[in-house]
Amino acid sequence: MSDLPTMRIEDLAHLSGATVRTIRAYQDRGLLPRPERHGRANLYSDAHLVRLRQIAGLLDRGYTLASIKELLEAWDAGRGLGGVLGLVAEVDGPWSDEEAVRISRAELEERFGGSPDDAAVADAVELGVLEPVPGDEDLFVVPSPQELAVAVELHAAGVPLSAISGHLRELRGQVEHIAARFLEFTTEHVFARYLDGPHRPTDADAAEAASLVRRLRPLAQQTVDAELARAMRLLAVRQLRRHLGGGEVPEPHFPSRSVALPEETIRAVEGLVGGERAAEFIALAAEREVRARRLDALTSKLRPPADLDEEG
């Protein structure tokens, strides 16, 4: 590449994919250096083309023009942009091992019972479960095959598609809240030192932060998976008890001094008498054992010696 200005603005627009109007707007905002004047022509160099591509890449990652200007100014001032872009790429990368697949409208209908449902497809597109393929109205990209598979199983179990969409909307809001809290937590305790200093992070700082992102990325999902499993077991058992018992079942009442029992013992008791009566059964069994031992002790005291029995 050459730093010599050889391109007119039309050439730069053609090579970069930006419009002439956009290039001039970037110049006005200070994002792009002014061209050099050669005679009566304004000429641009390869450096302008590189800068336009950097701006386009940052815009694709969700940066605003104002924040892009700050980043580029930091780079021009000697504070590296490479590490920052590496951090951006790490955060913007996939947060799941899933790979997107394509599915046809006919395949969708087959998986959901064989009946076309345009409203359900529109809902799925709005939610991002399906993404239309440009130029082919009967083909979709599925960003998360696992999410689609869950919907298929729920529908096969009798859940209407409209209810599945409504549930996903509600769930998404709750999960986004969890994600926001996890980010606030990690930002406060881990990333604040990279973000709250008087200067933007150096290349070394950004590289270290990117490494931390890679290490911490799976922790949110692992924590949610573990807590969801715990909550599902707890609430599912309560709900089952409530429905089987014909009403609200009070929480099991244990004696004032709690005693830890092996999980296998508790499961065996629940299998024998049912979960709602397990605590009562354990308490009565313990009480019976105590009484039996008291009776044994009492009868042993009253029982005549063995030699007297033989003489009698």
Side-chain angles (χ1 to χ4, degrees):
M1 299 183 74
S2 172
D3 289 335
L4 296 176
T6 58
M7 292 180 282
R8 296 180 180 272
I9 193 169
E10 293 81 9
D11 303 322
L12 182 62
H14 174 72
L15 290 172
S16 66
T19 65
V20 169
R21 182 177 179 181
T22 297
I23 292 172
R24 287 181 173 145
Y26 288 167
Q27 289 174 176
D28 292 340
R29 296 180 71 118
L31 290 163
L32 191 69
R34 293 284 176 180
E36 290 188 26
R37 187 78 176 177
H38 286 257
R40 300 179 60 182
N42 290 322
L43 298 180
Y44 298 82
S45 69
D46 287 337
H48 290 89
L49 180 59
V50 169
R51 177 58 58 91
L52 283 172
R53 288 172 176 167
Q54 288 171 341
I55 294 170
L58 290 168
L59 285 172
D60 286 343
R61 292 185 173 105
Y63 278 72
T64 64
L65 289 176
S67 59
I68 291 172
K69 183 179 180 182
E70 290 183 10
L71 283 171
L72 295 175
E73 285 175 349
W75 188 28
D76 290 340
R79 299 194 297 272
L81 185 62
V84 174
L85 292 181
L87 175 58
V88 170
E90 193 65 50
V91 173
D92 195 40
W95 285 68
S96 168
D97 293 333
E98 282 194 281
E99 294 185 3
V101 299
R102 291 193 173 199
I103 191 169
S104 68
R105 190 179 293 268
E107 289 172 319
L108 270 176
E109 291 175 2
E110 181 181 354
R111 294 184 68 178
F112 285 95
S115 301
D117 192 330
D118 292 339
V121 171
D123 264 354
V125 170
E126 180 188 345
L127 288 164
V129 177
L130 299 175
E131 296 178 357
V133 174
D136 191 340
E137 62 181 15
D138 290 324
L139 190 62
F140 302 91
V141 172
V142 183
S144 172
Q146 181 175 310
E147 193 169 49
L148 183 65
V150 170
V152 170
E153 290 297 329
L154 288 172
H155 184 257
V159 183
L161 289 174
S162 58
I164 295 173
S165 297
H167 175 70
L168 179 56
R169 284 189 177 90
E170 180 181 356
L171 180 65
R172 184 166 291 176
Q174 294 167 344
V175 170
E176 286 176 358
H177 174 72
I178 293 172
R181 290 294 299 118
F182 188 82
L183 289 172
E184 290 169 5
F185 171 78
T186 52
T187 297
E188 177 184 356
H189 295 285
V190 179
F191 294 107
R193 60 181 179 270
Y194 302 105
L195 304 174
D196 294 340
H199 304 293
R200 287 195 168 273
T202 64
D203 264 3
D205 289 338
E208 185 178 350
S211 175
L212 281 169
V213 170
R214 282 193 296 274
R215 287 165 48 197
L216 298 180
R217 178 183 291 171
L219 298 187
Q221 183 170 348
Q222 290 169 6
T223 303
V224 171
D225 285 348
E227 284 301 307
L228 180 61
R230 181 199 64 81
M232 285 296 294
R233 181 177 182 276
L234 175 67
L235 298 179
V237 169
R238 287 182 184 174
Q239 184 145 330
L240 183 62
R241 291 174 182 171
R242 188 159 55 244
H243 284 289
L244 292 180
E248 187 69 32
V249 177
E251 291 296 315
H253 175 71
F254 290 92
S256 57
R257 179 176 293 177
S258 59
V259 178
L261 294 175
E263 185 69 20
E264 296 79 4
T265 302
I266 295 175
R267 284 201 297 266
V269 172
E270 289 178 341
L272 183 64
V273 300
E276 72 279 4
R277 304 196 66 183
E280 181 184 2
F281 178 90
I282 292 170
L284 290 174
E287 184 179 349
R288 184 174 68 177
E289 179 65 20
V290 170
R291 287 180 178 177
R293 294 194 179 197
R294 285 178 179 171
L295 286 172
D296 288 343
L298 182 61
T299 54
S300 66
K301 290 178 183 179
L302 296 176
R303 185 180 301 150
D307 55 346
L308 292 179
D309 286 344
E310 291 174 359
E311 291 177 0

